[in-house]
Amino acid sequence: MNNNRKNFFDRLDWTLIFIIALFCVVSLTAISAAQMSGQYATNFVPKQLFWYFVAACIISVMMYFEPEQYKKMAWYLYGFGIFLLLVLMVTPGKLTEPRNGAKSWFHLGFADIQPSEFMKTFYILALARVVTKHHELYPNKTIKSDFILLGKIALTLIVPLAFILKQPDLGTSLVFLAITAALVLVAGIAWRIILPIVVGAVAIGGTLLWMALYKQEFLNTALGLKPYQFARIYSWLDPYSYSSSDGYHLVKSLNAIGSGQVFGKGYKGHEVYVPENHTDFIFSIIGEEWGFIGCSAVIVLFFFLIYHLTKLTLQMKDPFCTYVCAGIIAMITFHVLENIGMTTQVLPITGIPLPFISYGGSSMMGNAFALGLVFSMKFHHHTYMFGRDD
């Protein structure tokens, strides 16, 4: 029995557990500091602690299922996620009442649940299953087989992406595209196919941005876009000219982070009012209260998380596990880059939370589901290795 217990604890990923614990401390401290703004009467610290407890339960349960079982469940989970997005779209009334112009949540009274947060991981599982199955069917890579794989990936992407764009939720849509790009890269598709697609996408994106700035009338006539739809781009490039409207959040965020300077103003010492400072703009609180040093520490912590996940991915022997881990790394990395980027004017504001730090039950549970897969793969990977050694 003692040997079994020792074997159990040896198979746990203690490094990842320690990193998550550090995120919990940072999250609770930052959210506690954000409460001083008086924006909400609710104290979100105990709620965030509760969501961390729920996340720990999710990870604990998921760890006992083997990766092969998740592989078998991939399409069922994907279908369940699509079903939730469909129900969200067609259900009227207060249960799915739009928030900030987006119909993205089920309002259940005790919590607001965002199905797209779970759909991200369901999509990763389905995409990993698609790539793995394709390579089994086409062991000898050719240009034709790569195009077939791209087609399968596109079909897997288009359904959830269409639902999420319909909400509309641009930020989450970009996360799905980032996950897809990562899986395309690790799937081994020839660069002769990938490079023209990347160049074309960059060219189209750059052209649309240029036209949004200088050819608004053409976009209005040709695509039916309205002037107010360009406001987010204008307020990103020149927020101070729109400081009383669309650029208000960004101006406040920049003022908060800038005023923190090197060492910050200290715990609960922030003075700049930043809306949504406990969720999407939690990094602004960190910047003002702990300055450049605090922001750097948070970024380093994310670096260690991504580095650790990358190291685990390289250790995986099963292709399905490798693709799942790659998708999870892409999801978390994009979230971090986009959230920190949007609070510092490097990227446009898209309403994406900072993983494990921003307050939010759906985000926490979605990330817990993703890390639960990693814990499972690590746990059962070691079981397999011990079995071979014996």
Side-chain angles (χ1 to χ4, degrees), residues 31 33 37 44 46 59 62 69 87 107 149 164 200 214 224 277 287 336:
I31 292 172
S37 65
F44 291 99
I59 291 173
M62 292 185 63
Q69 293 175 288
V87 172
H107 306 292
L149 177 56
I164 293 168
Y214 303 107
N277 59 2
V336 174

Side-chain angles (χ1 to χ4, degrees), residues 193-241:
I193 299 175
I194 296 177
L195 191 59
I197 295 175
V198 172
V199 172
V202 171
I204 292 172
T207 301
L208 290 175
L209 179 60
W210 179 82
M211 294 177 70
L213 294 174
Y214 303 107
K215 296 293 181 180
Q216 298 95 333
E217 293 183 1
F218 175 80
L219 290 178
N220 186 15
T221 303
L223 301 179
L225 298 178
K226 305 299 180 184
Y228 73 87
Q229 293 176 302
F230 304 126
R232 183 167 290 183
I233 296 176
Y234 303 148
S235 61
W236 165 48
L237 297 175
D238 186 14
Y240 291 96
S241 295

Side-chain angles (χ1 to χ4, degrees), residues 129-323:
R129 174 74 183 268
V130 166
V131 177
T132 304
K133 187 66 175 178
H134 175 85
H135 287 325
E136 291 174 357
L137 293 174
Y138 298 92
N140 299 316
K141 279 172 48 22
T142 64
I143 293 297
K144 180 181 178 181
S145 68
D146 283 352
F147 272 114
I148 293 174
L149 177 56
L150 274 179
K152 293 176 180 177
I153 292 173
L155 289 175
T156 309
L157 169 66
I158 192 170
V159 178
L161 187 64
F163 277 115
I164 293 168
L165 285 172
K166 184 67 176 177
Q167 291 179 359
D169 188 347
L170 176 62
T172 302
S173 301
L174 293 175
V175 176
F176 274 79
L177 294 177
I179 292 169
T180 305
L183 266 296
V184 167
L185 288 175
V186 299
I189 295 176
W191 277 100
R192 285 180 293 174
I193 299 175
I194 296 177
L195 191 59
I197 295 175
V198 172
V199 172
V202 171
I204 292 172
T207 301
L208 290 175
L209 179 60
W210 179 82
M211 294 177 70
L213 294 174
Y214 303 107
K215 296 293 181 180
Q216 298 95 333
E217 293 183 1
F218 175 80
L219 290 178
N220 186 15
T221 303
L223 301 179
L225 298 178
K226 305 299 180 184
Y228 73 87
Q229 293 176 302
F230 304 126
R232 183 167 290 183
I233 296 176
Y234 303 148
S235 61
W236 165 48
L237 297 175
D238 186 14
Y240 291 96
S241 295
Y242 299 85
S243 59
S244 61
S245 55
D246 295 284
Y248 180 77
H249 278 76
L250 182 53
V251 168
K252 289 296 185 181
S253 176
L254 293 173
N255 291 342
I257 295 174
S259 66
Q261 299 185 26
V262 178
F263 299 103
K265 301 173 182 177
Y267 177 59
K268 294 187 177 181
H270 67 273
E271 301 167 347
V272 180
Y273 174 77
V274 181
E276 309 296 337
N277 59 2
H278 68 303
T279 55
D280 296 345
F281 285 85
I282 195 72
F283 194 74
S284 303
I285 290 292
I286 296 171
E288 185 174 7
E289 298 203 351
W290 292 283
F292 175 80
I293 300 299
C295 290
S296 299
V298 170
I299 292 172
V300 168
L301 184 57
F302 276 114
F303 170 81
F304 279 120
L305 171 64
I306 294 167
Y307 168 77
H308 182 69
L309 294 178
T310 303
K311 187 172 68 172
L312 289 178
T313 303
L314 295 175
Q315 295 173 357
M316 298 297 172
K317 305 301 181 183
D318 180 22
F320 175 76
C321 294
T322 301
Y323 297 135

